[in-house]
Amino acid sequence: MSQALARTARIPRLSRFGWLMALYAENHARLSRLFAPEHLQVGSYLSSVGDGLDLRLDVIETHRYTVELRLTYDLCDPLTGEPDPSAFVRLYRDAHQAEATHCYVGRRWQDVIGLYPPPAEVISHRMRMNTFLGKWLEYLAEQGHGVATLQPAGFVRDVA
């Protein structure tokens, strides 16, 4: 066996499930850095950076170990009237992970993968949703959204 093959044989492989858990950890770090949702009260918050595309963060529930929230723009899908894009996120305080539980991008998860999908399809779907969430959080940070721009919905702030 060549030296290169021997070296790669010693490198541990990350399973798809392990990759997904790492993605959850990255999303937790991004989300916590951006909005610190684990410190927010239940309610709706808006983040405005003056680009005309306000971000809405709804803290739906807080529990001892989890925070349930929804990220969306104040845009509605013309066909359904639902906010689109949006991501429902469960933040695990103790495990330092954030999981996109479902995203509404025109269709529900049952429409995408069926009612009884094989486990590999479920993991693939979760990877796509959480990759979307990670890229969206990165984009929001680049646009200037964050704790400093987050205000309770109904609070009007002059963005000059």
Side-chain angles (χ1 to χ4, degrees), residues 145-156:
H145 291 280
V147 174
T149 63
L150 201 61
Q151 300 293 331
F155 179 84
V156 179

Side-chain angles (χ1 to χ4, degrees), residues 52-148:
L53 196 56
D54 293 345
L55 180 78
R56 180 179 204 88
L57 187 147
D58 295 319
V59 178
I60 301 166
E61 293 262 351
T62 61
H63 303 283
R64 185 172 181 181
Y65 298 110
T66 60
V67 178
E68 302 279 340
L69 52 100
R70 178 182 186 171
L71 284 171
T72 187
Y73 289 116
D74 267 349
L75 297 173
C76 287
D77 181 300
L79 296 175
T80 64
E82 292 288 323
D84 189 26
S86 68
F88 288 85
V89 180
R90 182 174 297 126
L91 184 104
Y92 298 93
R93 298 174 196 244
D94 55 342
H96 297 279
Q97 300 207 329
E99 170 193 18
T101 57
H102 55 287
C103 299
Y104 181 79
V105 197
R107 298 186 298 179
R108 303 287 183 207
W109 69 267
Q110 297 92 335
D111 299 329
V112 177
I113 60 176
L115 286 177
Y116 304 104
E121 185 62 30
V122 173
I123 289 178
S124 291
H125 182 67
R126 290 192 182 277
M127 285 178 71
R128 286 190 302 273
M129 285 191 305
N130 285 281
T131 298
F132 161 75
L133 176 62
K135 289 181 178 183
W136 192 13
L137 292 172
E138 193 174 307
Y139 173 78
L140 293 172
E142 289 171 1
Q143 295 303 319
H145 291 280
V147 174

Side-chain angles (χ1 to χ4, degrees), residues 1-13:
M1 180 166 21
S2 75
Q3 191 174 21
L5 288 176
R7 208 172 331 154
T8 58
R10 291 189 311 245
I11 298 173
R13 289 179 175 247

